[in-house]
Amino acid sequence: MTACAIEDGTAAAVEAGETAETVEPGSDETNDETTGNGEPPDPATDTARDAATDPTPEAEAADPPDPQVPQIPLVPLVPPVPEQPPAETVLPTPAFTITANGAYAARLTTARVGTTGAGEASAHTGVSASADPAWFPERWTLDGPEPYAVPLPLNQPEDAASQVLPLADGRVLIRRRVADGHTLSLLYPTGPGTGELLLGAVECEELTLLPPSPDGVSAYALSTGEYSTGLWLVAGGPAGPELVVELPGRCSGGAWLDRAGRLLALDREPAGGGPVKAVAVDLGRGAEMTPLLQIAPESDDRLLLADPDSGLLLIRSDAPGHDRLGWGVLGSCLPVRFPECLRLPDVAVTPFAVQPGQMLMPESCAVALRIDGATGSWLGVWRPAGRRLHQLPVPGGWLAGSGVWSREGVLALPYANGETDCAVAFLTAPADVDPVPGPAPAPAPAPAGHPGSGMQPSGAGVPPSVCRPVPLGQAPLVGRSTSS
């Protein structure tokens, strides 16, 4: 794999980030089992057992929206209607990427008849809006008094397999596939047109952009080979794409563990095959790689999401015997837990945003989850302390799996439908209510047309079997205060 620089980029200093020790493995819920008929355990039994054996702090009511947070009128929150085709076509996940500070977002979209900006995009690409969809990048501005989108088309349509990534200065990085590799460019609006700064090319078979760096100016990518994975600095370097390190094994995923953009977590599969384990790459120490998650010797332990402020980690592992969503706290001595309320039948549950700013209260962070079922996608909101999953409808045209939390617990959900090409719905995280003594109340129903179990307790189904999990590797994450 080689890279050639065409235009010099802007040098970006990588600051030293906060560090911490890893989480302890295992859980009293690691070996949760379902009942004989495959259904989750009875909520009433779980609630009583939780109250006696696993007390948690009382859930505080969600703060009201900050007066400074722009309150755009909400559209009616309704579940998607499968019979109606979407107003526009978008790429599979990740179709909509938001910067770490929540100021900008970018996606690939298409120009269609009847949508705002369709004529402008068609004029640039030279393709009629009535013809086959013409893909072009689009940048959203989210931190102003009202969200707005700027199309960034060039002289010809983009390939639907291209990938875009917003930077904190408003420019959009685009990766395009070419015959012998991939090219990388920065796009930016220039009055009526689109400017392009060609950064360079990387000669490899596959190149995948990682989530936006917290520093806002750097961008990284992975080139996965048969026995190793190249970590590339593709924007923000001194001279175009630069190979940072060649990591042994096949790496994927990507989550930032600190606010400085120094500690990067990746999911790594050994070159010769074997279980997938999350590792930490310290970009401030020569890209040193150390183990991060090792819940059991043969389990696949992936890191899905990390909050740099509180240290809350969202994990997917098959250590309980099958794939389960779990959570832990970076630097805590408590085990990884696998809440029962996050295990729903016949749907896929994926976390995509964590409430920031909860420095000493990781258990109180609100987590937004995308729930995908046979009838569409809807929203889940969950807190570790509350042990309840709230299932909520979403605005029509929600860009599924995207959103950003404010520190006050207000979730912004971007959407685009036949009535608008760029809008944001604001939703305040619902408060968790502690169960009252007596029989457990019936679970709240899922949004209309969607299967689900509503608000469920997270108690274990059966007492866990006695086992000694393998400790987590000691990654170079010292310096963070330990959460009790």
Side-chain angles (χ1 to χ4, degrees), residues 91-308:
L91 284 175
T93 302
F96 191 83
T97 305
I98 304 175
T99 56
N101 63 1
Y104 292 101
R107 65 168 179 163
L108 283 181
T109 186
T110 59
R112 289 187 177 274
V113 174
T115 60
T116 304
E120 179 182 353
S122 299
H124 282 278
T125 59
V127 178
S128 171
S130 61
D132 292 336
W135 294 93
F136 63 92
E138 183 179 69
R139 188 200 71 190
W140 288 38
T141 299
L142 303 175
D143 62 346
E146 185 172 336
Y148 63 93
V150 176
L152 297 173
L154 293 171
N155 295 327
Q156 62 183 18
E158 301 289 349
D159 189 340
S162 300
Q163 191 178 4
V164 293
L165 191 79
L167 301 182
D169 60 5
R171 294 183 296 178
V172 174
L173 175 68
I174 182 168
R175 174 201 57 79
R176 300 183 179 101
R177 181 65 189 254
V178 294
D180 55 351
H182 304 262
T183 62
L184 297 124
S185 298
L186 290 174
L187 306 179
Y188 51 92
T190 58
T194 300
E196 180 177 17
L197 173 64
L198 190 59
L199 298 178
V202 176
E203 296 181 7
C204 63
E205 183 64 25
E206 297 294 335
L207 187 71
T208 304
L209 298 181
L210 290 174
S213 172
D215 67 11
V217 297
S218 304
Y220 292 86
L222 295 178
S223 61
T224 305
E226 185 176 0
Y227 301 106
S228 65
T229 301
L231 175 62
W232 294 82
L233 175 64
V234 294
E242 171 189 353
L243 180 62
V244 177
V245 67
E246 195 77 22
L247 301 170
R250 298 175 58 87
C251 296
S252 59
W256 294 97
L257 302 177
D258 67 332
R259 289 289 181 192
R262 169 180 170 177
L263 298 174
L264 174 64
L266 298 171
D267 300 326
R268 175 183 173 270
E269 179 185 0
V276 177
K277 302 290 184 183
V279 297
V281 179
D282 190 341
L283 301 178
R285 299 179 60 179
E288 179 182 6
M289 183 179 71
T290 53
L292 179 63
L293 287 176
Q294 295 187 46
I295 299 177
E298 299 301 323
S299 62
D300 290 331
D301 307 322
R302 293 178 170 89
L303 180 62
L304 304 181
L305 206 59
D307 176 50

Side-chain angles (χ1 to χ4, degrees), residues 50-51 54-59 327 337 363 384-387 434 458:
D50 290 344
D54 190 21
T56 57
E58 293 186 358
W327 69 278
R337 297 174 180 241
E363 293 86 359
R387 299 183 299 161
D434 289 337
S458 60

